Amino acid sequence: MTYIGRFAPSPTGPLHAGSLVAALASWLDARAHGGTWLVRIENVDTPRCVPDADTGILAQLAALGMAPDAPPTWQSRRGDRYEAALAQLRRGGWAYPCVCSRSDIAAALARAGVPQVAHVERVYPGTCRPPTMASTDVAPAVPWRRTPAWRLRTRTPAGEDIVIAWHDRLLGPQRQDVTQAVGDFVLKRADGLWAYQLAVVVDDAAQGITDVVRGEDLADNTARQIHLQRTLGLPTPRYLHTPL
Ligand code: GLU
């Protein structure tokens, strides 16, 4: 069986006990399968990145005997790949521009009577979502009132919810109604930064990742990533989420 795994730290500081568990789990799983193990530095969220944390992380891994089987990659060098994926989603009508500010979203949700729950990410009310899946890879008819973010539709072309069922090698069967739980999520922020969801899906596919082994705190992202893989026509890897 082909096995390509990866550890994909965000360079926001040194690896802590939790991230080392994820690193060790992905390394051990790759070794146990006679597979390849890669390291990808996920530095797209530049304001959260700490200078030199990437070299520190690679040194920590090397000190523990976890050497990747190929040179590490940096997401900051892969913007053209993310742009190409976004263009594909725009052509297919899956991605659309959103000019809502945080307060626009809060006001729209308040008007719709949706209560605000502390620390819970709010579901985008769909204010900017075009009524049809026509290509959005065209110049806007009226200039945008501000630089847009780009969101991914979480409805089927027939308007149904996107319900993703997937299997986790440790947690067992999983299921999420992405439309209700998350809503149309951001692929590229208005400030030009790429969202984790898009970058991780494009890179896992580009690197031929067959097995994602990562911390359980990320399990909740998996359904979104599978929806994105399907809209981009990319394969879905196997998943294993480790206890924190
Ligand atoms: N870069 C993410 C993090 O450090 C992990 C991404 C992943 O493993 O999918 O939280």
Side-chain angles (χ1 to χ4, degrees), residues 6 8-10 40 42 196 200 204 212-214 218 225:
R6 63 13 170 227
S10 301
R40 182 172 72 226
E42 299 213 318
Y196 157 65
V200 80
D204 281 342
V212 171
V213 177
R214 59 185 177 190
L218 293 163
Q225 292 170 13

PDB file of all heavy atoms in Angstrom, residues 6 8-10 40 42 196 200 204 212-214 218 225, ligand 1:
ATOM      1  N   ARG A   6       2.375  13.231   6.566  1.00  0.00           N
ATOM      2  CA  ARG A   6       3.036  14.530   6.761  1.00  0.00           C
ATOM      3  C   ARG A   6       2.752  15.080   8.137  1.00  0.00           C
ATOM      4  O   ARG A   6       1.773  14.733   8.798  1.00  0.00           O
ATOM      5  CB  ARG A   6       2.636  15.533   5.679  1.00  0.00           C
ATOM      6  CG  ARG A   6       1.206  16.061   5.459  1.00  0.00           C
ATOM      7  CD  ARG A   6       0.166  15.865   6.402  1.00  0.00           C
ATOM      8  NE  ARG A   6      -1.039  16.625   6.140  1.00  0.00           N
ATOM      9  CZ  ARG A   6      -1.700  17.331   7.068  1.00  0.00           C
ATOM     10  NH1 ARG A   6      -1.278  17.375   8.300  1.00  0.00           N
ATOM     11  NH2 ARG A   6      -2.819  17.949   6.770  1.00  0.00           N
ATOM     12  N   ALA A   8       2.446  18.972   9.645  1.00  0.00           N
ATOM     13  CA  ALA A   8       2.252  20.299   9.028  1.00  0.00           C
ATOM     14  C   ALA A   8       2.120  21.386  10.098  1.00  0.00           C
ATOM     15  O   ALA A   8       1.052  21.959  10.288  1.00  0.00           O
ATOM     16  CB  ALA A   8       1.014  20.254   8.130  1.00  0.00           C
ATOM     17  N   PRO A   9       3.211  21.683  10.801  1.00  0.00           N
ATOM     18  CA  PRO A   9       3.117  22.667  11.884  1.00  0.00           C
ATOM     19  C   PRO A   9       2.982  24.100  11.373  1.00  0.00           C
ATOM     20  O   PRO A   9       3.519  24.449  10.326  1.00  0.00           O
ATOM     21  CB  PRO A   9       4.454  22.499  12.615  1.00  0.00           C
ATOM     22  CG  PRO A   9       5.404  22.035  11.560  1.00  0.00           C
ATOM     23  CD  PRO A   9       4.591  21.165  10.640  1.00  0.00           C
ATOM     24  N   SER A  10       2.255  24.912  12.137  1.00  0.00           N
ATOM     25  CA  SER A  10       2.234  26.357  11.895  1.00  0.00           C
ATOM     26  C   SER A  10       3.358  26.942  12.746  1.00  0.00           C
ATOM     27  O   SER A  10       3.426  26.657  13.944  1.00  0.00           O
ATOM     28  CB  SER A  10       0.892  26.952  12.334  1.00  0.00           C
ATOM     29  OG  SER A  10      -0.147  26.321  11.626  1.00  0.00           O
ATOM     30  N   ARG A  40       5.726  19.963   6.320  1.00  0.00           N
ATOM     31  CA  ARG A  40       5.288  21.162   5.592  1.00  0.00           C
ATOM     32  C   ARG A  40       5.075  22.283   6.599  1.00  0.00           C
ATOM     33  O   ARG A  40       4.315  22.118   7.551  1.00  0.00           O
ATOM     34  CB  ARG A  40       3.984  20.832   4.867  1.00  0.00           C
ATOM     35  CG  ARG A  40       3.452  21.971   4.041  1.00  0.00           C
ATOM     36  CD  ARG A  40       2.278  21.511   3.198  1.00  0.00           C
ATOM     37  NE  ARG A  40       1.091  21.281   3.983  1.00  0.00           N
ATOM     38  CZ  ARG A  40       0.301  20.207   3.873  1.00  0.00           C
ATOM     39  NH1 ARG A  40       0.570  19.237   3.028  1.00  0.00           N
ATOM     40  NH2 ARG A  40      -0.774  20.105   4.622  1.00  0.00           N
ATOM     41  N   GLU A  42       3.391  25.442   7.655  1.00  0.00           N
ATOM     42  CA  GLU A  42       2.138  26.108   7.269  1.00  0.00           C
ATOM     43  C   GLU A  42       2.158  27.557   7.751  1.00  0.00           C
ATOM     44  O   GLU A  42       1.611  27.901   8.809  1.00  0.00           O
ATOM     45  CB  GLU A  42       0.954  25.327   7.838  1.00  0.00           C
ATOM     46  CG  GLU A  42       0.928  23.899   7.274  1.00  0.00           C
ATOM     47  CD  GLU A  42      -0.453  23.323   7.097  1.00  0.00           C
ATOM     48  OE1 GLU A  42      -1.305  23.502   7.984  1.00  0.00           O
ATOM     49  OE2 GLU A  42      -0.688  22.680   6.046  1.00  0.00           O
ATOM     50  N   TYR A 196      -6.317  28.590   5.894  1.00  0.00           N
ATOM     51  CA  TYR A 196      -5.785  27.245   6.175  1.00  0.00           C
ATOM     52  C   TYR A 196      -6.502  26.175   5.365  1.00  0.00           C
ATOM     53  O   TYR A 196      -5.861  25.293   4.787  1.00  0.00           O
ATOM     54  CB  TYR A 196      -5.914  26.990   7.693  1.00  0.00           C
ATOM     55  CG  TYR A 196      -5.948  25.544   8.098  1.00  0.00           C
ATOM     56  CD1 TYR A 196      -4.839  24.713   7.900  1.00  0.00           C
ATOM     57  CD2 TYR A 196      -7.088  24.990   8.683  1.00  0.00           C
ATOM     58  CE1 TYR A 196      -4.879  23.373   8.270  1.00  0.00           C
ATOM     59  CE2 TYR A 196      -7.132  23.657   9.059  1.00  0.00           C
ATOM     60  CZ  TYR A 196      -6.031  22.849   8.840  1.00  0.00           C
ATOM     61  OH  TYR A 196      -6.072  21.525   9.195  1.00  0.00           O
ATOM     62  N   VAL A 200      -4.292  23.788   2.953  1.00  0.00           N
ATOM     63  CA  VAL A 200      -4.030  22.412   3.389  1.00  0.00           C
ATOM     64  C   VAL A 200      -4.545  21.411   2.347  1.00  0.00           C
ATOM     65  O   VAL A 200      -3.888  20.403   2.053  1.00  0.00           O
ATOM     66  CB  VAL A 200      -4.638  22.183   4.800  1.00  0.00           C
ATOM     67  CG1 VAL A 200      -6.118  21.915   4.762  1.00  0.00           C
ATOM     68  CG2 VAL A 200      -3.953  21.046   5.522  1.00  0.00           C
ATOM     69  N   ASP A 204      -2.002  18.987   0.457  1.00  0.00           N
ATOM     70  CA  ASP A 204      -2.100  17.540   0.687  1.00  0.00           C
ATOM     71  C   ASP A 204      -2.217  16.817  -0.655  1.00  0.00           C
ATOM     72  O   ASP A 204      -1.580  15.781  -0.875  1.00  0.00           O
ATOM     73  CB  ASP A 204      -3.301  17.200   1.593  1.00  0.00           C
ATOM     74  CG  ASP A 204      -3.010  17.451   3.076  1.00  0.00           C
ATOM     75  OD1 ASP A 204      -1.815  17.561   3.447  1.00  0.00           O
ATOM     76  OD2 ASP A 204      -3.969  17.549   3.860  1.00  0.00           O
ATOM     77  N   VAL A 212      -3.453  11.512   6.652  1.00  0.00           N
ATOM     78  CA  VAL A 212      -3.319  12.672   7.522  1.00  0.00           C
ATOM     79  C   VAL A 212      -3.440  12.173   8.957  1.00  0.00           C
ATOM     80  O   VAL A 212      -4.456  11.578   9.331  1.00  0.00           O
ATOM     81  CB  VAL A 212      -4.406  13.723   7.213  1.00  0.00           C
ATOM     82  CG1 VAL A 212      -4.403  14.826   8.267  1.00  0.00           C
ATOM     83  CG2 VAL A 212      -4.206  14.305   5.824  1.00  0.00           C
ATOM     84  N   VAL A 213      -2.390  12.375   9.741  1.00  0.00           N
ATOM     85  CA  VAL A 213      -2.413  12.035  11.169  1.00  0.00           C
ATOM     86  C   VAL A 213      -2.125  13.340  11.897  1.00  0.00           C
ATOM     87  O   VAL A 213      -1.067  13.945  11.706  1.00  0.00           O
ATOM     88  CB  VAL A 213      -1.348  10.970  11.505  1.00  0.00           C
ATOM     89  CG1 VAL A 213      -1.324  10.688  13.004  1.00  0.00           C
ATOM     90  CG2 VAL A 213      -1.623   9.686  10.726  1.00  0.00           C
ATOM     91  N   ARG A 214      -3.065  13.808  12.707  1.00  0.00           N
ATOM     92  CA  ARG A 214      -2.912  15.116  13.354  1.00  0.00           C
ATOM     93  C   ARG A 214      -3.757  15.135  14.622  1.00  0.00           C
ATOM     94  O   ARG A 214      -4.496  14.198  14.913  1.00  0.00           O
ATOM     95  CB  ARG A 214      -3.329  16.233  12.380  1.00  0.00           C
ATOM     96  CG  ARG A 214      -4.756  16.107  11.918  1.00  0.00           C
ATOM     97  CD  ARG A 214      -5.127  17.155  10.858  1.00  0.00           C
ATOM     98  NE  ARG A 214      -6.488  16.940  10.392  1.00  0.00           N
ATOM     99  CZ  ARG A 214      -7.034  17.551   9.344  1.00  0.00           C
ATOM    100  NH1 ARG A 214      -6.318  18.415   8.633  1.00  0.00           N
ATOM    101  NH2 ARG A 214      -8.275  17.293   8.996  1.00  0.00           N
ATOM    102  N   LEU A 218      -8.136  19.274  15.391  1.00  0.00           N
ATOM    103  CA  LEU A 218      -8.354  19.614  13.986  1.00  0.00           C
ATOM    104  C   LEU A 218      -9.425  18.748  13.330  1.00  0.00           C
ATOM    105  O   LEU A 218      -9.780  18.965  12.168  1.00  0.00           O
ATOM    106  CB  LEU A 218      -7.036  19.499  13.208  1.00  0.00           C
ATOM    107  CG  LEU A 218      -5.981  20.544  13.608  1.00  0.00           C
ATOM    108  CD1 LEU A 218      -4.599  20.132  13.124  1.00  0.00           C
ATOM    109  CD2 LEU A 218      -6.348  21.917  13.061  1.00  0.00           C
ATOM    110  N   GLN A 225     -12.732  20.157   4.676  1.00  0.00           N
ATOM    111  CA  GLN A 225     -11.641  19.841   3.749  1.00  0.00           C
ATOM    112  C   GLN A 225     -12.089  18.810   2.715  1.00  0.00           C
ATOM    113  O   GLN A 225     -11.719  18.893   1.544  1.00  0.00           O
ATOM    114  CB  GLN A 225     -10.406  19.394   4.544  1.00  0.00           C
ATOM    115  CG  GLN A 225      -9.834  20.575   5.332  1.00  0.00           C
ATOM    116  CD  GLN A 225      -8.761  20.231   6.345  1.00  0.00           C
ATOM    117  OE1 GLN A 225      -8.213  19.133   6.352  1.00  0.00           O
ATOM    118  NE2 GLN A 225      -8.465  21.181   7.216  1.00  0.00           N
TER     119      GLN A 225
HETATM  120  N1  GLU B   1      -0.941  23.802  10.552  1.00  0.00           N
HETATM  121  C1  GLU B   1      -1.961  23.215  11.390  1.00  0.00           C
HETATM  122  C2  GLU B   1      -1.634  23.447  12.836  1.00  0.00           C
HETATM  123  O1  GLU B   1      -0.450  23.563  13.178  1.00  0.00           O
HETATM  124  C3  GLU B   1      -2.100  21.735  11.202  1.00  0.00           C
HETATM  125  C4  GLU B   1      -2.631  21.390   9.889  1.00  0.00           C
HETATM  126  C5  GLU B   1      -2.939  19.940   9.639  1.00  0.00           C
HETATM  127  O2  GLU B   1      -2.274  19.046  10.181  1.00  0.00           O
HETATM  128  O3  GLU B   1      -3.856  19.714   8.850  1.00  0.00           O
HETATM  129  O4  GLU B   1      -2.528  23.514  13.638  1.00  0.00           O
END
